[in-house]
Amino acid sequence: MMKPYLSVFRLRISNGLQYRAAALAGVGTQFFFGFIFIMIFQAFYAHASEAPSMTLSQVITYTWLKQAFLALIVLWLRDNELFQLITSGNIAYELCRPSEIYGLWYAKLLAQRLSSALLRCFPILIVVGFLPEPYRLQLPPDFVSGLLFLATLLIGLLMIVALSMLIYISVFVTMSPAGSLLLFSIFGEFFAGLIIPVPLMPDWMQKIVYILPFHWTADFPFRVFTGNISKTEALTGILAQCLWLAALILFGKFTMDRALKRVVVQGG
Amino acid sequence: MRLFFKYMGLELKSQMQYRTSFLLLMLGQCLTPFTSFAALYFLFERFGQIQGWSFYEVTLCFAVTYVAFSVTECFARGFDTFSSLVVSGNFDRLLVRPRNTVVQVLGTRFEFARIGRLVLSIVMLIWAAIHIEIDWTLLKILTLVLMCVSGVFIFTGVFILAASISFWTVQGLEIANIFTDGGREMTQYPLSIYQTWVKRFFTFIIPFACFNYLPLTYIVGREGSDSPFYALIPLVGILFLIPCLLVWRIGVRHYRSTGS
């Protein structure tokens, strides 16, 4: 039953792995941005009057993880093909297929992110593991935290794909991807802790962030890695992640069915 | 120059055809610096200062960068998408026309929706200028204006350089983002907070320091930089455009059409 989805997934992975040169150029850019962010945080920490709830070395590790796994966690990664399907009316062909469209697109988007992350994360992670102090990536405090990190990152990835499915679904209504993509990615990025880690935000902002699903996708796994979140907290966090994931997928499927019922095939 | 404005008018008319989409995009553009600024504000709330720079001083720096960058993006966007002209071979068409290639590439694209970002940045600039504890003199105000102008020239130069790469590589390189978007991210904070190699590179190779950090030290009256000479440094930044145009000309001579 899962077979068509799996083969779409495999196809997309090998497709994505073709673009090695582009990935390499991307890696260079990620390094530069990583260094700039770290230097800014260093400067802030240098004369901090009171110690924040996250140490500088944790922030540095957090920054490198963010740069390495960027493809897994940002919302602005988009598949123009899908947008064109919707706006050009070729969605009609997709509807003719005997498999369900939500699952198909989900597999496609997931593969795209994984292949691009696989190409980019290892060179970055290896190099930053050997950088001189204070730039070096600190390994997780123990083996279990490492495993928990992998689990949370994976569920976070499933969540981010479910979230980005909502963007695609919204295009059925608005017919122009620019608006919803922009709004979603700007706020989503901020709430996910991609601009500054959540513990560095003021308390009232943290309260808002913890209500929304975005922080489970990036901030949470990274802080599990740095040891900023304890193992017991991580376990309850995983439960919350799973609940959110189920809710997001159900909501996505529901709205997609509604949208498809009234879909207008645009022109010919 | 007349040609340039004509191109501009044409683009404005065509973009105004989709009015709601235009307005939405403009609003969205407004929000991008907004979250960056929120991050800056939150960090200051947590830490108080950054290596002796106060919140309003850094805000001024941030605003100058965004004013310069959004003006540049509005007008010089053509260079950002230039590699597609080379890939498709459409650059040939520009070459056979009896006008300067730089003006024509500039004319391929104006993004007026970026004005939303510009307006927000200007508001931020004025807001910071009012709250900052400085005795504003005529020269200081002039310096501030010069900083914005010089910033536009430097960013345009960087865009031209990045576009020139595609004369050799055909494909645009993502690595060029380091100097365009990376430059913007970096110059949001005073250059003095970075490591020495970053400082040197962005003062002497790509003179980002000329349009914001160095004159800013004069405006806020840092020790050792109170001579009016510092006020004129932005003018040096403007000169950066000359080598960039030179590289562009070498590139045009090197250009081989992709055919298709």
Side-chain angles (χ1 to χ4, degrees):
Chain A
M1 206 199 100
M2 287 296 278
K3 225 175 139 208
Y5 306 112
L6 276 178
S7 52
V8 164
F9 180 75
R10 262 212 313 276
L11 214 81
R12 282 279 144 177
I13 286 259
S14 55
N15 188 351
L17 289 176
Q18 299 301 316
Y19 298 96
R20 280 178 220 119
L24 210 66
V27 167
T29 320
Q30 294 324 327
F31 268 118
F32 178 81
F33 276 99
F35 273 118
I36 292 298
F37 293 142
I38 287 174
M39 285 177 206
I40 292 173
F41 283 121
Q42 265 182 323
F44 270 116
Y45 271 86
H47 301 281
S49 43
E50 49 177 303
S53 56
M54 206 172 172
T55 63
L56 180 60
S57 78
Q58 282 176 345
V59 174
I60 289 171
T61 302
Y62 185 106
T63 308
W64 284 129
L65 290 173
K66 182 183 95 184
Q67 297 304 106
F69 295 110
L70 210 60
L72 297 185
I73 51 177
V74 291
L75 276 167
W76 45 256
L77 210 72
R78 59 165 139 183
D79 187 347
N80 281 322
E81 229 175 90
L82 294 191
F83 285 131
Q84 270 160 20
L85 277 181
I86 300 172
T87 47
S88 72
N90 285 344
I91 182 84
Y93 297 118
E94 294 280 291
L95 288 173
C96 296
R97 292 184 214 278
S99 31
E100 196 225 355
I101 208 169
Y102 187 91
L104 218 66
W105 285 14
Y106 193 96
K108 214 176 188 179
L109 294 174
L110 187 64
Q112 209 176 31
R113 280 178 188 270
L114 266 182
S115 60
S116 137
L118 281 177
L119 277 176
R120 287 162 192 237
C121 74
F122 293 113
I124 296 183
L125 287 180
I126 291 168
V127 173
V128 298
F130 292 102
L131 283 176
E133 294 287 349
Y135 298 111
R136 192 182 305 163
L137 176 98
Q138 303 292 335
L139 291 175
D142 48 48
F143 187 66
V144 183
S145 318
L147 282 183
L148 282 172
F149 162 71
L150 285 180
T152 51
L153 187 69
L154 193 73
I155 306 174
L157 169 66
L158 295 176
M159 275 180 74
I160 203 93
V161 178
L163 279 168
S164 53
M165 279 299 288
L166 294 180
I167 303 181
Y168 292 96
I169 294 165
S170 77
V171 177
F172 277 110
V173 185
T174 60
M175 278 298 145
S176 147
S180 39
L181 189 76
L182 204 66
L183 281 182
F184 238 94
S185 52
I186 290 171
F187 284 107
E189 205 169 277
F190 190 81
F191 291 132
L194 291 185
I195 299 182
I196 52 171
V198 177
L200 296 183
M201 294 178 187
D203 297 332
W204 59 269
M205 193 72 213
Q206 285 188 29
K207 271 185 198 131
I208 300 174
V209 169
Y210 286 137
I211 295 171
L212 294 165
F214 299 101
H215 77 104
W216 293 112
T217 63
D219 182 75
F220 175 65
F222 295 164
R223 274 163 64 201
V224 170
F225 186 97
T226 59
N228 189 269
I229 289 180
S230 71
K231 272 170 281 189
T232 40
E233 272 177 292
L235 281 174
T236 45
I238 287 178
L239 196 70
Q241 272 187 315
C242 290
L243 287 177
W244 265 112
L245 179 63
L248 285 171
I249 289 182
L250 280 179
F251 180 68
K253 275 196 165 175
F254 172 72
T255 44
M256 186 136 190
D257 284 342
R258 294 259 326 247
L260 284 178
K261 249 176 223 150
R262 350 173 268 123
V263 73
V264 181
V265 173
Q266 305 282 322
Chain B
M1 220 43 204
R2 269 228 326 271
L3 186 70
F4 181 73
F5 288 113
K6 186 122 187 196
Y7 271 129
M8 229 164 100
L10 278 174
E11 275 286 317
L12 183 64
K13 270 183 207 153
S14 80
Q15 282 175 27
M16 275 308 184
Q17 296 299 313
Y18 302 92
R19 201 150 306 169
T20 12
S21 155
F22 179 81
L23 287 176
L24 267 179
L25 216 64
M26 199 152 130
L27 191 77
Q29 293 292 354
C30 248
L31 291 170
T32 354
F34 184 74
T35 49
S36 303
F37 183 69
L40 184 134
Y41 177 78
F42 290 155
L43 283 176
F44 268 99
E45 195 163 282
R46 178 77 51 183
F47 293 101
Q49 45 79 40
I50 183 164
Q51 295 207 340
W53 293 80
S54 74
F55 173 63
Y56 288 113
E57 287 165 356
V58 177
T59 307
L60 200 65
C61 189
F62 181 96
V64 168
T65 299
Y66 262 98
V67 167
F69 192 78
S70 40
V71 171
T72 314
E73 266 202 319
C74 194
F75 296 106
R77 195 73 183 164
F79 284 104
D80 208 19
T81 54
F82 177 70
S83 68
S84 66
L85 270 184
V86 172
V87 172
S88 65
N90 278 337
F91 186 61
D92 296 12
R93 284 180 27 210
L94 304 192
L95 279 176
V96 294
R97 292 182 195 147
R99 286 283 183 277
N100 189 321
T101 47
V102 175
V103 175
Q104 290 192 61
V105 175
L106 275 179
T108 50
R109 203 128 174 230
F110 294 97
E111 294 204 349
F112 289 99
R114 309 265 166 185
I115 288 174
R117 204 186 268 197
L118 177 63
V119 170
L120 190 79
S121 319
I122 291 177
V123 170
M124 214 182 271
L125 185 74
I126 294 169
W127 179 71
I130 291 171
H131 282 81
I132 203 168
E133 283 165 31
I134 292 179
D135 307 316
W136 285 102
T137 59
L138 200 63
L139 186 61
K140 280 184 178 178
I141 293 171
L142 186 73
T143 311
L144 198 62
V145 175
L146 269 180
M147 279 160 77
C148 295
V149 174
S150 163
V152 173
F153 274 86
I154 293 175
F155 275 123
T156 309
V158 173
F159 270 115
I160 291 178
L161 272 187
S164 303
I165 295 178
S166 46
F167 283 123
W168 283 274
T169 60
V170 179
Q171 274 284 332
L173 287 185
E174 198 187 332
I175 206 106
N177 274 357
I178 288 181
F179 304 114
T180 52
D181 288 342
R184 183 198 64 202
E185 285 296 318
M186 198 193 60
T187 48
Q188 288 169 11
Y189 291 89
L191 209 58
S192 63
I193 67 163
Y194 298 105
Q195 299 291 327
T196 329
W197 60 272
V198 180
K199 267 189 268 185
R200 291 229 177 95
F201 186 85
F202 288 106
T203 308
F204 297 112
I205 314 282
I206 294 179
F208 281 132
C210 292
F211 89 88
N212 81 14
Y213 169 61
L214 291 173
L216 196 68
T217 54
Y218 169 73
I219 288 186
V220 302
R222 282 278 178 281
E223 250 170 83
S225 52
D226 35 16
S227 83
F229 169 70
Y230 275 81
L232 298 176
I233 285 182
L235 295 175
V236 182
I238 293 178
L239 296 179
F240 176 64
L241 198 60
I242 296 170
C244 294
L245 287 173
L246 224 63
V247 172
W248 174 262
R249 281 188 55 185
I250 297 170
V252 171
R253 232 175 272 148
H254 188 274
Y255 172 74
R256 281 220 191 100
S257 175
T258 50
S260 59

Coordinates of all heavy atoms in Angstrom, one line a residue, chain A residues 22 25-26 29 32-33 36-37 39-40 42-45 47-48 52 135 178 182-183 186 190 195-196 199-202 204-206, chain B residues 25 28-29 31-32 35 38-39 42-47 49-51 174-175 177-178 181-182 185-186 189 193-195 197-198 202:
Chain A
A22 N 26.3 22.5 -6.7 CA 25.5 23.5 -6.1 C 25.5 23.4 -4.6 O 25.6 24.4 -3.9 CB 24.0 23.4 -6.6
A25 N 28.8 24.8 -3.2 CA 28.8 26.3 -3.1 C 27.9 26.7 -1.9 O 28.3 27.6 -1.2 CB 28.2 26.9 -4.4
G26 N 26.8 26.0 -1.7 CA 26.0 26.3 -0.6 C 26.7 26.1 0.8 O 26.5 26.9 1.7
T29 N 28.8 29.1 1.7 CA 28.0 30.2 2.2 C 27.5 29.9 3.6 O 27.6 30.8 4.4 CB 26.7 30.3 1.3 OG1 27.1 30.2 -0.1 CG2 26.1 31.7 1.4
F32 N 30.3 30.8 6.1 CA 30.4 32.2 6.3 C 29.4 32.8 7.2 O 29.7 33.5 8.2 CB 30.4 33.0 4.9 CG 30.5 34.4 5.1 CD1 31.8 35.0 5.2 CD2 29.4 35.3 5.1 CE1 31.9 36.4 5.4 CE2 29.5 36.6 5.2 CZ 30.8 37.2 5.4
F33 N 28.1 32.4 6.9 CA 27.0 32.9 7.8 C 27.2 32.4 9.2 O 26.9 33.2 10.2 CB 25.7 32.5 7.2 CG 25.2 33.4 6.1 CD1 25.3 33.2 4.8 CD2 24.5 34.6 6.5 CE1 24.9 34.0 3.8 CE2 24.1 35.5 5.5 CZ 24.2 35.2 4.2
I36 N 29.7 34.6 11.0 CA 29.2 35.9 11.3 C 28.2 35.8 12.5 O 28.3 36.6 13.5 CB 28.4 36.5 10.1 CG1 29.4 36.8 9.0 CG2 27.6 37.7 10.5 CD1 30.4 37.8 9.3
F37 N 27.3 34.9 12.5 CA 26.3 34.8 13.6 C 27.1 34.5 14.9 O 26.8 35.1 16.0 CB 25.3 33.6 13.4 CG 24.4 33.9 12.2 CD1 24.0 32.9 11.4 CD2 23.9 35.2 12.0 CE1 23.2 33.1 10.3 CE2 23.0 35.4 11.0 CZ 22.7 34.4 10.1
M39 N 30.1 35.3 15.8 CA 30.9 36.5 16.2 C 29.9 37.5 16.9 O 30.3 38.1 17.8 CB 31.6 37.1 15.1 CG 32.8 36.4 14.6 SD 33.6 37.2 13.2 CE 34.5 35.8 12.5
I40 N 28.7 37.6 16.3 CA 27.8 38.5 16.9 C 27.4 38.1 18.3 O 27.4 38.8 19.3 CB 26.5 38.6 16.0 CG1 26.8 39.3 14.7 CG2 25.4 39.4 16.8 CD1 25.7 39.4 13.7
Q42 N 29.2 36.1 20.2 CA 30.4 36.3 21.1 C 30.4 37.7 21.6 O 30.7 37.9 22.8 CB 31.6 36.1 20.3 CG 32.2 34.7 20.3 CD 33.4 34.6 19.5 OE1 33.5 35.2 18.5 NE2 34.4 33.8 20.0
A43 N 30.2 38.7 20.8 CA 30.3 40.1 21.2 C 29.3 40.4 22.2 O 29.5 41.1 23.2 CB 30.1 41.0 20.0
F44 N 28.1 39.8 22.1 CA 27.0 40.1 23.1 C 27.4 39.4 24.4 O 27.2 40.0 25.5 CB 25.7 39.5 22.6 CG 24.9 40.5 21.8 CD1 24.5 40.3 20.5 CD2 24.4 41.6 22.4 CE1 23.8 41.2 19.8 CE2 23.6 42.5 21.7 CZ 23.3 42.3 20.4
Y45 N 27.9 38.2 24.3 CA 28.2 37.5 25.6 C 29.5 38.1 26.3 O 29.6 37.9 27.5 CB 28.5 36.0 25.3 CG 27.3 35.1 25.3 CD1 26.5 35.0 24.2 CD2 26.9 34.4 26.4 CE1 25.3 34.2 24.2 CE2 25.8 33.6 26.5 CZ 25.0 33.5 25.3 OH 23.9 32.7 25.4
H47 N 30.4 40.9 27.4 CA 30.2 41.8 28.6 C 28.8 41.6 29.1 O 28.2 42.6 29.6 CB 30.4 43.3 28.2 CG 31.7 43.6 27.6 ND1 32.8 43.7 28.3 CD2 32.1 43.7 26.3 CE1 33.9 43.9 27.6 NE2 33.5 43.9 26.3
A48 N 28.3 40.4 29.1 CA 27.0 40.1 29.7 C 26.9 40.4 31.1 O 27.8 39.9 31.9 CB 26.5 38.7 29.4
P52 N 23.0 34.4 30.8 CA 21.7 33.9 30.3 C 21.6 32.4 30.5 O 22.5 31.7 30.8 CB 21.8 34.2 28.8 CG 23.1 35.0 28.6 CD 24.0 34.7 29.8
Y135 N 35.2 28.1 18.4 CA 34.3 27.8 17.3 C 33.8 26.4 17.2 O 33.0 26.1 16.4 CB 34.9 28.3 16.0 CG 35.2 29.8 15.9 CD1 36.5 30.2 15.9 CD2 34.1 30.7 16.0 CE1 36.7 31.6 15.9 CE2 34.4 32.0 16.0 CZ 35.7 32.5 15.9 OH 35.9 33.8 16.0
A178 N 3.4 33.7 -3.6 CA 4.3 34.6 -3.0 C 3.9 35.0 -1.6 O 4.6 35.0 -0.6 CB 4.5 35.9 -3.9
L182 N 5.7 33.9 1.9 CA 6.5 34.9 2.6 C 6.1 35.0 4.1 O 6.9 35.0 4.9 CB 6.3 36.3 1.9 CG 7.4 37.3 2.0 CD1 8.6 36.8 1.4 CD2 6.9 38.6 1.4
L183 N 4.8 35.1 4.3 CA 4.3 35.3 5.7 C 4.7 34.1 6.5 O 5.2 34.2 7.6 CB 2.8 35.5 5.7 CG 2.3 36.9 5.3 CD1 0.8 36.9 5.4 CD2 2.9 37.9 6.2
I186 N 8.6 33.9 7.1 CA 9.1 34.9 8.0 C 8.8 34.6 9.4 O 9.7 34.6 10.3 CB 8.6 36.3 7.6 CG1 9.3 36.7 6.2 CG2 9.0 37.3 8.6 CD1 8.7 37.9 5.6
F190 N 11.2 32.8 12.6 CA 11.4 33.5 13.9 C 10.9 32.6 15.0 O 11.7 32.4 16.0 CB 10.7 34.8 13.9 CG 11.1 35.6 15.1 CD1 12.2 36.4 15.0 CD2 10.3 35.7 16.2 CE1 12.6 37.1 16.1 CE2 10.7 36.4 17.3 CZ 11.8 37.2 17.2
I195 N 16.4 32.6 14.0 CA 17.1 33.9 14.0 C 17.8 34.0 15.3 O 19.0 34.3 15.3 CB 16.1 35.0 13.8 CG1 15.5 34.8 12.4 CG2 16.8 36.4 13.8 CD1 14.5 35.8 11.9
I196 N 17.2 33.9 16.5 CA 17.9 33.7 17.7 C 17.3 32.5 18.5 O 16.1 32.3 18.4 CB 17.9 35.0 18.6 CG1 16.4 35.5 18.8 CG2 18.7 36.1 18.0 CD1 16.3 36.6 19.8
P199 N 15.7 30.5 24.1 CA 16.0 30.9 25.5 C 16.6 32.3 25.6 O 16.5 32.9 26.6 CB 17.1 29.9 25.9 CG 17.0 28.8 25.0 CD 16.5 29.2 23.7
L200 N 17.0 32.9 24.4 CA 17.5 34.3 24.5 C 16.4 35.3 24.3 O 16.6 36.5 24.4 CB 18.6 34.5 23.4 CG 19.9 33.6 23.6 CD1 20.9 34.0 22.5 CD2 20.5 33.9 25.0
M201 N 15.2 34.8 24.0 CA 14.1 35.8 23.8 C 13.6 36.2 25.2 O 13.7 35.4 26.2 CB 13.0 35.1 23.0 CG 13.3 34.8 21.6 SD 12.0 33.9 20.8 CE 12.7 33.5 19.2
P202 N 12.9 37.3 25.3 CA 12.3 37.7 26.5 C 11.2 36.7 26.9 O 10.6 36.0 26.1 CB 11.7 39.1 26.3 CG 11.7 39.3 24.8 CD 12.7 38.3 24.2
W204 N 8.0 36.9 27.8 CA 6.7 37.0 27.2 C 6.7 36.4 25.8 O 5.7 35.7 25.3 CB 6.1 38.4 27.2 CG 7.0 39.4 26.4 CD1 8.0 40.2 26.9 CD2 6.9 39.7 25.0 NE1 8.5 41.0 25.9 CE2 7.9 40.7 24.8 CE3 6.0 39.3 24.0 CZ2 8.1 41.3 23.5 CZ3 6.2 39.9 22.7 CH2 7.2 40.8 22.5
M205 N 7.8 36.6 25.1 CA 7.9 36.1 23.7 C 8.0 34.6 23.8 O 7.4 33.8 22.9 CB 9.1 36.7 23.0 CG 9.2 36.4 21.5 SD 8.0 37.5 20.7 CE 7.6 36.4 19.3
Q206 N 8.8 34.1 24.8 CA 8.9 32.6 24.9 C 7.6 31.9 25.1 O 7.3 30.9 24.6 CB 9.8 32.3 26.1 CG 11.3 32.6 25.8 CD 12.2 32.1 26.9 OE1 11.9 31.1 27.6 NE2 13.3 32.7 27.0
Chain B
L25 N 2.8 42.0 -1.5 CA 4.2 41.7 -1.6 C 5.0 42.8 -0.8 O 5.9 42.6 -0.1 CB 4.7 41.7 -3.0 CG 5.8 40.7 -3.4 CD1 5.3 39.3 -3.1 CD2 6.2 40.9 -4.8
G28 N 4.7 42.3 2.8 CA 5.6 41.2 3.1 C 7.0 41.6 3.2 O 7.7 41.3 4.2
Q29 N 7.4 42.4 2.3 CA 8.8 43.0 2.2 C 9.1 43.8 3.5 O 10.2 43.8 4.0 CB 9.0 43.8 1.0 CG 8.9 43.1 -0.3 CD 10.1 42.2 -0.5 OE1 11.0 42.1 0.4 NE2 10.1 41.4 -1.5
L31 N 8.0 43.2 6.3 CA 8.2 42.3 7.5 C 9.5 41.7 7.7 O 10.0 41.3 8.7 CB 7.1 41.2 7.5 CG 5.7 41.7 7.7 CD1 4.7 40.6 7.4 CD2 5.5 42.3 9.1
T32 N 10.3 41.6 6.5 CA 11.6 40.9 6.6 C 12.5 41.6 7.6 O 13.1 41.0 8.4 CB 12.2 40.7 5.2 OG1 11.3 41.1 4.3 CG2 12.7 39.3 5.0
T35 N 11.5 41.2 11.5 CA 11.9 40.1 12.4 C 13.4 40.2 12.8 O 13.8 39.9 13.9 CB 11.6 38.7 11.8 OG1 12.1 38.6 10.5 CG2 10.2 38.4 11.8
A38 N 13.5 42.6 15.4 CA 13.0 42.1 16.6 C 14.1 41.3 17.3 O 14.3 41.4 18.6 CB 11.8 41.2 16.4
A39 N 14.9 40.5 16.6 CA 15.9 39.7 17.1 C 17.0 40.6 17.8 O 17.4 40.4 18.9 CB 16.6 38.9 16.0
F42 N 15.5 42.0 21.0 CA 15.5 41.0 22.1 C 16.9 40.7 22.7 O 17.1 40.6 23.9 CB 14.9 39.7 21.6 CG 13.5 39.8 21.3 CD1 12.9 38.9 20.4 CD2 12.7 40.7 21.9 CE1 11.5 39.0 20.1 CE2 11.3 40.8 21.7 CZ 10.7 39.9 20.8
L43 N 17.9 40.7 21.8 CA 19.3 40.5 22.3 C 19.7 41.6 23.1 O 20.4 41.4 24.1 CB 20.2 40.3 21.1 CG 20.1 38.9 20.4 CD1 21.0 38.9 19.2 CD2 20.5 37.8 21.3
F44 N 19.3 42.8 22.8 CA 19.7 44.0 23.6 C 19.0 43.9 24.9 O 19.5 44.3 26.0 CB 19.5 45.3 22.9 CG 20.7 45.8 22.1 CD1 20.8 45.5 20.8 CD2 21.7 46.4 22.8 CE1 21.9 45.9 20.1 CE2 22.9 46.8 22.1 CZ 23.0 46.6 20.8
E45 N 17.7 43.5 24.9 CA 17.0 43.4 26.2 C 17.7 42.4 27.1 O 17.7 42.6 28.3 CB 15.6 43.0 25.9 CG 14.6 43.2 27.0 CD 13.2 43.1 26.5 OE1 12.7 44.1 25.9 OE2 12.6 42.1 26.7
R46 N 18.2 41.3 26.5 CA 18.9 40.3 27.3 C 20.3 40.7 27.8 O 20.6 40.5 28.9 CB 18.9 39.0 26.5 CG 19.6 37.8 27.1 CD 18.8 37.1 28.1 NE 17.4 36.7 27.7 CZ 16.6 36.1 28.5 NH1 16.9 35.8 29.7 NH2 15.4 35.8 28.1
F47 N 21.0 41.4 26.9 CA 22.4 41.6 27.2 C 22.8 43.1 27.5 O 23.8 43.4 28.0 CB 23.3 41.2 26.1 CG 23.3 39.7 25.9 CD1 22.5 39.1 24.9 CD2 24.1 38.9 26.7 CE1 22.5 37.7 24.7 CE2 24.1 37.5 26.5 CZ 23.3 36.9 25.5
Q49 N 24.1 45.6 26.1 CA 24.9 46.3 25.1 C 25.8 45.3 24.4 O 25.9 44.2 24.7 CB 25.8 47.4 25.8 CG 26.5 46.9 27.1 CD 27.7 46.0 26.8 OE1 28.5 46.3 25.9 NE2 27.9 44.9 27.6
I50 N 26.4 45.8 23.3 CA 27.3 44.9 22.6 C 28.7 45.6 22.4 O 28.8 46.6 21.7 CB 26.7 44.5 21.2 CG1 27.6 43.5 20.5 CG2 26.4 45.7 20.3 CD1 26.9 42.8 19.3
Q51 N 29.6 45.2 23.1 CA 31.0 45.8 23.2 C 30.9 47.3 23.2 O 31.6 48.0 22.4 CB 31.7 45.3 21.9 CG 32.0 43.8 22.0 CD 33.2 43.3 21.3 OE1 33.7 44.1 20.4 NE2 33.7 42.2 21.6
E174 N 26.1 30.6 -5.9 CA 25.5 30.8 -4.7 C 26.5 31.5 -3.7 O 26.1 32.3 -2.8 CB 25.0 29.5 -4.1 CG 23.9 29.8 -3.0 CD 23.5 28.5 -2.3 OE1 23.7 27.4 -2.9 OE2 23.1 28.6 -1.1
I175 N 27.8 31.3 -3.9 CA 28.8 31.8 -3.0 C 28.8 33.3 -3.1 O 29.2 33.9 -2.1 CB 30.1 31.2 -3.4 CG1 31.1 31.2 -2.2 CG2 30.8 31.9 -4.6 CD1 31.3 29.8 -1.7
N177 N 26.4 35.1 -2.7 CA 25.5 35.6 -1.7 C 26.3 36.1 -0.4 O 25.7 36.9 0.3 CB 24.6 34.4 -1.2 CG 23.4 34.3 -2.1 OD1 23.3 35.1 -3.0 ND2 22.6 33.3 -1.9
I178 N 27.5 35.5 -0.2 CA 28.3 36.0 0.9 C 28.4 37.5 0.9 O 28.3 38.1 2.0 CB 29.7 35.3 0.9 CG1 29.5 33.8 1.2 CG2 30.6 36.0 1.9 CD1 30.8 33.1 1.2
D181 N 23.8 39.2 0.4 CA 23.0 39.0 1.6 C 23.9 39.0 2.8 O 23.6 39.5 3.9 CB 22.2 37.7 1.5 CG 21.1 37.8 0.5 OD1 20.8 39.0 0.2 OD2 20.6 36.8 0.0
G182 N 25.1 38.3 2.7 CA 26.0 38.2 3.8 C 26.5 39.6 4.2 O 26.6 39.9 5.4
E185 N 23.7 41.2 6.2 CA 23.6 40.7 7.6 C 24.7 41.2 8.5 O 24.5 41.6 9.6 CB 23.7 39.1 7.5 CG 22.5 38.4 7.0 CD 21.3 38.6 7.9 OE1 21.4 38.5 9.1 OE2 20.2 38.8 7.4
M186 N 25.9 41.3 7.9 CA 27.0 41.6 8.7 C 27.0 43.1 9.1 O 27.4 43.4 10.2 CB 28.3 41.3 7.9 CG 29.5 41.2 8.7 SD 30.8 41.2 7.6 CE 30.6 42.8 6.8
Y189 N 25.5 45.2 12.3 CA 26.2 45.5 13.5 C 27.5 46.3 13.2 O 28.0 46.1 12.1 CB 26.5 44.2 14.3 CG 25.3 43.5 14.8 CD1 24.6 42.6 14.1 CD2 24.8 43.8 16.1 CE1 23.5 41.9 14.6 CE2 23.7 43.1 16.6 CZ 23.1 42.2 15.8 OH 22.0 41.6 16.3
I193 N 32.8 44.7 16.1 CA 32.6 43.5 17.0 C 33.2 42.2 16.4 O 33.2 41.2 17.0 CB 31.1 43.3 17.3 CG1 30.4 42.9 16.0 CG2 30.5 44.5 17.9 CD1 29.0 42.3 16.3
Y194 N 33.6 42.3 15.1 CA 34.0 41.0 14.5 C 35.5 40.8 14.7 O 36.2 41.7 15.2 CB 33.7 41.1 13.0 CG 32.2 41.2 12.7 CD1 31.7 42.4 12.3 CD2 31.4 40.1 12.9 CE1 30.3 42.5 12.1 CE2 30.0 40.2 12.6 CZ 29.5 41.4 12.2 OH 28.2 41.5 12.0
Q195 N 36.0 39.6 14.2 CA 37.4 39.3 14.3 C 38.2 40.1 13.3 O 37.6 40.7 12.3 CB 37.6 37.8 13.9 CG 36.9 36.8 14.9 CD 37.5 36.8 16.2 OE1 38.7 37.0 16.4 NE2 36.7 36.7 17.3
W197 N 40.3 39.5 10.9 CA 40.3 39.2 9.4 C 39.1 39.6 8.7 O 39.1 40.1 7.6 CB 40.6 37.7 9.2 CG 39.6 36.7 9.8 CD1 39.6 36.2 11.0 CD2 38.4 36.2 9.1 NE1 38.6 35.4 11.2 CE2 37.8 35.3 10.1 CE3 37.9 36.3 7.9 CZ2 36.6 34.6 9.8 CZ3 36.7 35.6 7.6 CH2 36.1 34.8 8.5
V198 N 37.9 39.5 9.4 CA 36.7 40.0 8.8 C 36.7 41.5 8.7 O 36.4 42.1 7.6 CB 35.5 39.6 9.7 CG1 34.2 40.1 9.1 CG2 35.4 38.1 9.9
F202 N 36.6 43.5 5.0 CA 35.5 44.3 4.7 C 35.7 45.8 4.8 O 34.9 46.6 4.7 CB 34.2 43.9 5.4 CG 33.7 42.6 4.9 CD1 33.8 41.4 5.6 CD2 33.0 42.6 3.7 CE1 33.3 40.2 5.1 CE2 32.6 41.4 3.2 CZ 32.7 40.2 3.9

